[in-house]
Amino acid sequence: MVATPLMNITKVETSKLKDLNLENIPFGKFYSDHMLEADYIDGEWTNVEIKPYQPLLLEPSVAAIHYGQAIFEGIKAYKDPNGNPFIFRPKDNFKRFNLSAQRMQMPEVPEEIFMEGMRQLVEIDKNWIPTQADHSLYIRPFMFSSDPVIGVKPSETYKFMIILSPTGPYYTAPMRIYVEEKYTRAAPGGIGFAKAAGNYGASMLATAEAKKLGYDQVLWTDAFEHKYLQEIGTMNVFFIIGNKAVTPSLEEGTILEGVTRDSAMQVLKEMGFEVVEQKITIDDLIQAHKAGALYEVFGTGTAATISLIKELRYKDYVMQFDTALWQTAPELKKRLNAIRYGQVPDQYGWMMPV
Ligand SMILES: *Cc1c(COP(=O)(O)O)cnc(C)c1O
């Protein structure tokens, strides 16, 4: 395809790729040669360019740093067995990004900048897409308010950027999860459904306290009674109860609507499960566990894909699972990966060619 005239492209003279071993790379520590940058000024998007990855020069008064008008997305690119690059369901992330923008009183990013900009950036850096199992190129679009003004008000200028990070597996081992009853991630009317930076800053103390007790992450509960289950850290959660796959429903706006969540729901149906989105309490879960009907618990998200949960603790009640015996989550992961790595026909139309 031809570059849109709207976009300026400056390429690096020598790639940094030769200094990096794409095998066994940690999550989110290395960045590719190029990045996309665009500015929102006087009510329109301008200065759209792809250029060498480099630091930003910002005034210390930049509004996002003080008041957190900042949002992001997480997407992954893969190569099929012939080495052709594809991006997994980017249009869904594009729509969610603009929902987050709307909630945070930020301007929407037009489709040709977000989608076509991302496609061109990944095309330029396609050699950065690792090919071994559980590896991929993580795509991080983000936007922040950039007025050098410390009054509390929506900014008049914004920056939209995309950076790329080659990545290995996010969580490797099955996780131990602490059911959170003190801290809250999201309340109705808040920003839980948005991928807004402040959600993550607010979550870190709870996670740190769970870690001190020997847990990897928390399972968030509702703000009023701390009974209704929401999500695990930055992943959506699924429970296999009997022949049902149950995941918390979205209606209160306290849960991030994951693209992996939606993909998992479709594949679980294909696997013969009755997929149910409903409000579910910790008491419902304990009851199912006591009845011997709670078979599996797992998290879903772009970074981690599917994360197996080997222990859930609520007060003094501990639920333990032998994940080595599980059938569902490993099969789900296998099917999702087969689609993403282009090993089976893409019957859902999820893979966008680059
Ligand atoms: C990003 C995210 C998810 C997972 O969404 P995906 O689109 O599947 O990556 C779930 N919960 C939270 C809080 C998130 O930020």
Side-chain angles (χ1 to χ4, degrees):
M1 259 193 233
V2 194
T4 54
L6 167 101
M7 211 156 343
N8 267 312
I9 298 180
T10 317
K11 291 195 187 173
V12 294
E13 288 183 0
T14 42
S15 172
K16 296 177 294 188
L17 191 53
K18 59 179 182 2
D19 305 329
L20 186 68
N21 177 7
L22 281 188
E23 313 260 333
N24 290 321
I25 24 175
F27 180 83
K29 290 222 170 120
F30 297 101
Y31 301 97
S32 71
D33 288 326
H34 300 91
M35 64 185 196
L36 179 141
E37 189 175 336
D39 290 308
Y40 185 83
I41 301 169
D42 291 336
E44 59 185 58
W45 286 99
T46 173
N47 304 336
V48 188
E49 52 178 334
I50 289 175
K51 60 188 187 182
Y53 181 92
Q54 58 191 271
L56 296 172
L57 189 61
L58 296 172
E59 292 207 32
S61 55
V62 139
I65 302 174
H66 301 268
Y67 307 122
Q69 236 192 335
I71 59 172
F72 68 98
E73 269 304 328
I75 308 170
K76 276 178 173 175
Y78 303 85
K79 275 184 181 164
D80 75 3
N82 299 321
N84 299 313
F86 288 85
I87 305 175
F88 184 72
R89 303 190 66 173
K91 193 80 181 277
D92 297 273
N93 297 86
F94 164 65
K95 289 185 195 146
R96 187 170 71 191
F97 189 77
N98 279 338
L99 273 182
S100 299
Q102 203 179 44
R103 177 61 183 85
M104 298 303 290
Q105 190 56 34
M106 300 167 90
E108 293 193 1
V109 174
E111 184 164 344
E112 73 260 27
I113 297 178
F114 190 104
M115 293 294 291
E116 180 58 13
M118 171 169 53
R119 194 198 64 74
Q120 289 194 28
L121 181 64
V122 173
E123 183 172 44
I124 289 171
D125 279 345
K126 64 175 181 244
N127 292 341
W128 287 82
I129 307 176
T131 46
Q132 61 275 40
D134 288 329
H135 289 60
S136 56
L137 184 67
Y138 185 81
I139 304 170
R140 169 52 62 90
F142 59 104
M143 171 170 39
F144 59 92
S145 55
S146 53
D147 281 5
V149 175
I150 52 173
V152 180
K153 63 176 185 62
S155 197
E156 279 164 24
T157 61
Y158 294 84
K159 213 173 251 306
F160 171 66
M161 301 188 66
I162 307 178
I163 56 176
L164 307 175
S165 175
T167 118
Y170 191 75
Y171 296 118
T172 43
M175 298 166 73
R176 300 177 70 216
I177 301 297
Y178 185 82
V179 180
E180 183 59 56
E181 303 181 82
K182 179 175 163 194
Y183 300 110
T184 299
R185 190 190 90 90
I191 60 170
F193 68 90
K195 239 171 155 68
N199 281 332
Y200 306 85
S203 75
M204 289 179 192
L205 179 60
T207 313
E209 290 190 6
K211 285 208 166 125
K212 273 192 209 146
L213 299 171
Y215 291 84
D216 299 298
Q217 256 303 348
V218 300
L219 171 51
W220 295 107
T221 54
D222 72 282
F224 303 115
E225 300 173 79
H226 288 297
K227 276 190 170 306
Y228 292 96
L229 305 176
Q230 295 181 337
E231 19 186 346
I232 290 183
T234 60
M235 293 184 291
N236 295 113
V237 65
F238 284 80
F239 308 102
I240 304 298
I241 303 174
N243 68 342
K244 287 186 183 155
V246 180
T247 190
S249 48
L250 302 170
E251 70 260 3
E252 288 182 325
T254 52
I255 291 173
L256 201 287
E257 184 173 4
V259 177
T260 321
R261 174 185 181 274
D262 182 73
S263 311
M265 290 198 297
Q266 297 194 49
V267 172
L268 284 163
K269 277 182 202 153
E270 171 195 298
M271 286 166 60
F273 283 93
E274 185 186 337
V275 177
V276 189
E277 294 176 79
Q278 63 174 57
K279 293 180 82 165
I280 177 166
T281 65
I282 185 65
D283 295 330
D284 298 334
L285 204 65
I286 288 172
Q287 221 172 24
H289 182 255
K290 285 187 172 157
L294 177 59
Y295 298 137
E296 300 186 19
V297 182
F298 54 89
T300 66
T302 296
T305 313
I306 305 287
S307 277
L308 312 186
I309 308 304
K310 68 175 178 189
E311 181 178 325
L312 259 186
R313 180 194 181 122
Y314 176 65
K315 299 186 197 282
D316 291 330
Y317 191 77
V318 177
M319 297 176 246
Q320 279 170 327
F321 305 93
D322 186 355
T323 57
L325 301 176
W326 285 7
Q327 309 271 317
T328 305
E331 174 67 18
L332 172 62
K333 184 170 185 178
K334 204 173 107 191
R335 291 192 190 205
L336 282 173
N337 278 343
I339 297 171
R340 301 190 301 180
Y341 291 96
Q343 293 152 354
V344 294
D346 172 23
Q347 56 166 316
Y348 299 105
W350 284 341
M351 306 307 295
M352 184 189 93
V354 171

